[in-house]
Amino acid sequence: MKKRETNHAAVRVGILGCGTIGAGVARHLLAQRHALAHHLGCPLELARVADIDLAGARREGLPAALLTTCADEVLRDPRIDIVVELIGGTTAAKHCVMDAMRRGKHVVTANKALLAKDGLRLHTLAQAHGVDLFYEASVGGGIPIIKALREGFVANRIDSVFGIVNGTCNYILTRMTAAGLEFGQALKEAMAQGYAEADPTLDIEGHDARHKIGILASIAFGQWIPQPRIYVQGITGVTALDIQCANELGYVIKFLAIAKAENGGLHARVHPTLLPAHSMLANVNGVFNAIEVNGAPIGTTLFYGRGAGRDATSSAVIADIIDVARNVGLRSHKRLPAFAFAARPRPLKPMAEVCTKYYLRCTTVDRPGVIAAISRELGSRNIGLTSVLLHETARGARSTILFMTHRARECDMQAALAAINRLPVVKAKTVMIRVEPSDE
Ligand code: HSE
């Protein structure tokens, strides 16, 4: 058998942040060092682990000689080639990542908020200093979606990337659908199960998903998408009634993050979405994530797996460490750049210009001509209907009328909604949820 080409100099790793993920990564690097060295062709040495609180690291049994409370002992150690940032947050983490790169160290991070906010600046700095910046664990936990976009699909023109990227929200919607729970009950259950954070705001208001689709869209389209340009609507307004109504129409409500290239422009958005009940994404349940990528010549691909948790996230962090270590060991940095800028950036479309299909639930008085009055407001703004469903109503009670529309512009729908809600026959604010797929 031909002997594997080896480079005997060790590649050294320093970890900043020894919480659940940091400790998982450290333990794996120590336990698997022989297998990793064999795989790489050179030793991969965990040189230092820093955290301001080392209690967790000690509980995990990490060797005391590796531990320090001082991040600078990692950043300033000239022997360390790769800094793994697992501190979280965007202040100290940003400082450490930038300092590491300025000192010529490669960086691996799981920090989606940092990348989403400062990805362009960090990539520019990485290029200026000739170092790698990898962040597979920032989106989709253990699903290798970033590597797929960066490398596997390098031959493709990407048309869209979208999916379920927040496990907490998917768990909540799954429980609302399966057990008829209201949002608050399902959230409590998610917290009791340990899926939702003590402060679940980032998840349920959609900011976590916005970070993730920002990163995926930026890589897919080769231009860094500023977070404020991504439309976001969380799941706090989704009700058991709408889930049930969607179900009657043959749909499931999922929380989607969507980025599309259309008509020479790009847009990205995060919101609750009706999906046909038979579609693959509609059947992704619990805390699982799934991301669909459409491109040419590849067509449609779907990635599915655990989007969070120690094991899935550690798997992605270690994959990045090995990728960078190969570059270091074989001196093949920039084999494929972590981020390839598009030759010609495309304009970002505002949400008002985005076209989708829509579900409307109107609450009205029970009187002849109500459906006609609502349809008139839609029709006069060029919004056509694909179906109307009127729930059977007891005489004198409120009517619930469901409308499904053809593809229409968001600004036209918003104008129609305002007019519908002003109609004297309409007795509660009309619920609107966007429907996908909306291409046809
Ligand atoms: N809070 C995230 C989720 C996990 O629920 O998907 C970390 O990205």
Side-chain angles (χ1 to χ4, degrees):
M1 203 171 82
K2 193 166 178 263
K3 199 165 175 289
R4 187 185 279 267
E5 190 187 337
T6 56
N7 174 333
H8 293 287
V11 176
R12 294 193 179 83
V13 178
I15 296 178
L16 300 178
C18 195
T20 312
I21 311 297
V25 171
R27 282 180 63 111
H28 188 94
L29 289 178
L30 291 171
Q32 300 298 320
R33 62 184 176 281
H34 298 302
L36 293 173
H38 176 75
H39 186 79
L40 272 172
C42 67
L44 184 63
E45 187 187 313
L46 178 60
R48 216 89 171 102
V49 177
D51 200 310
I52 45 172
D53 179 358
L54 291 170
R58 291 197 184 101
R59 262 197 311 279
E60 294 277 353
L62 297 180
L66 294 183
L67 306 181
T68 173
T69 51
C70 177
D72 274 354
E73 285 189 25
V74 172
L75 295 167
R76 292 191 183 165
D77 184 338
R79 299 171 313 138
I80 289 179
D81 305 287
I82 305 171
V83 170
V84 181
E85 183 277 306
L86 297 168
I87 303 168
T90 52
T91 310
K94 181 172 157 187
H95 168 80
C96 290
V97 164
M98 293 179 75
D99 190 59
M101 292 197 294
R102 287 193 184 109
R103 291 173 191 273
K105 298 185 192 306
H106 307 277
V107 170
V108 170
T109 175
N111 196 325
K112 55 196 169 252
L114 177 62
L115 260 297
K117 191 164 160 267
D118 284 311
L120 180 58
R121 190 165 170 210
L122 296 178
H123 274 294
T124 307
L125 191 67
Q127 285 189 358
H129 290 271
V131 294
D132 282 332
L133 170 65
F134 283 0
Y135 41 90
E136 184 65 65
S138 63
V139 183
I143 305 171
I145 182 65
I146 292 180
K147 196 169 174 79
L149 286 172
R150 215 162 47 83
E151 298 187 15
F153 294 141
V154 73
N156 285 264
R157 179 202 72 222
I158 304 294
D159 298 321
S160 64
V161 47
F162 60 92
I164 296 165
V165 294
N166 186 274
T168 304
C169 291
N170 201 39
Y171 179 86
I172 291 171
L173 293 177
T174 299
R175 292 295 296 146
M176 290 175 74
T177 306
L181 302 182
E182 281 300 349
F183 171 78
Q185 294 169 294
L187 172 61
K188 267 195 201 135
E189 200 182 284
M191 292 173 89
Q193 295 285 331
Y195 296 135
E197 307 281 341
D199 176 5
T201 315
L202 279 181
D203 291 319
I204 62 177
E205 298 292 358
H207 305 297
D208 174 82
R210 175 159 67 166
H211 291 151
K212 291 170 178 169
I213 197 65
I215 292 170
L216 293 182
S218 300
I219 297 168
F221 301 123
Q223 61 191 84
W224 213 261
I225 314 284
Q227 284 285 294
R229 303 294 297 275
I230 301 174
Y231 173 82
V232 63
Q233 179 193 344
I235 62 164
T236 54
V238 177
T239 63
L241 176 59
D242 286 305
I243 288 179
Q244 188 197 320
C245 291
N247 191 250
E248 280 176 50
L249 295 163
Y251 289 83
V252 170
I253 300 184
K254 289 290 182 189
F255 187 47
L256 289 201
I258 301 167
K260 284 189 187 176
E262 269 178 342
N263 309 323
L266 299 178
H267 74 261
R269 53 195 159 99
V270 172
H271 51 70
T273 309
L274 262 73
L275 289 173
H278 59 75
S279 65
M280 285 197 282
L281 282 180
N283 289 286
V284 172
N285 289 319
V287 289
F288 278 84
N289 283 197
I291 299 150
E292 183 174 317
V293 181
N294 290 288
I298 191 73
T300 297
T301 56
L302 186 72
F303 296 78
Y304 171 86
R306 289 188 185 280
R310 173 169 164 143
D311 293 343
T313 310
S314 301
S315 161
V317 171
I318 290 159
D320 275 351
I321 293 173
I322 290 174
D323 227 352
V324 179
R326 279 195 80 81
N327 285 349
V328 174
L330 300 173
R331 296 188 181 83
S332 58
H333 170 64
K334 285 193 173 173
R335 200 166 32 93
L336 270 178
F339 182 70
F341 289 93
R344 267 186 301 141
R346 283 171 282 194
L348 288 170
K349 260 203 230 177
M351 189 61 189
E353 295 301 320
V354 169
C355 290
T356 67
K357 300 195 251 182
Y358 303 88
Y359 153 99
L360 303 181
R361 174 169 61 81
C362 298
T363 306
T364 70
V365 294
D366 176 22
R367 188 179 302 159
V370 170
I371 292 180
I374 295 171
S375 306
R376 219 173 5 257
E377 297 298 351
L378 293 165
S380 67
R381 292 168 180 88
N382 211 23
I383 303 170
L385 296 172
T386 58
S387 69
V388 179
L389 181 70
L390 171 63
H391 280 177
E392 199 171 333
T393 314
R395 185 159 288 283
R398 296 275 187 253
S399 292
T400 295
I401 313 172
L402 308 178
F403 296 86
M404 297 292 284
T405 79
H406 280 294
R407 191 173 146 88
R409 280 194 315 169
E410 175 83 13
C411 56
D412 293 330
M413 175 49 77
Q414 292 296 345
L417 278 174
I420 289 168
N421 286 333
R422 280 195 301 269
L423 292 172
V425 292
V426 171
K427 291 297 171 197
K429 193 171 172 213
T430 299
V431 173
M432 178 274 274
I433 305 178
R434 299 169 188 89
V435 180
E436 293 285 336
S438 60
D439 306 324
E440 64 268 27

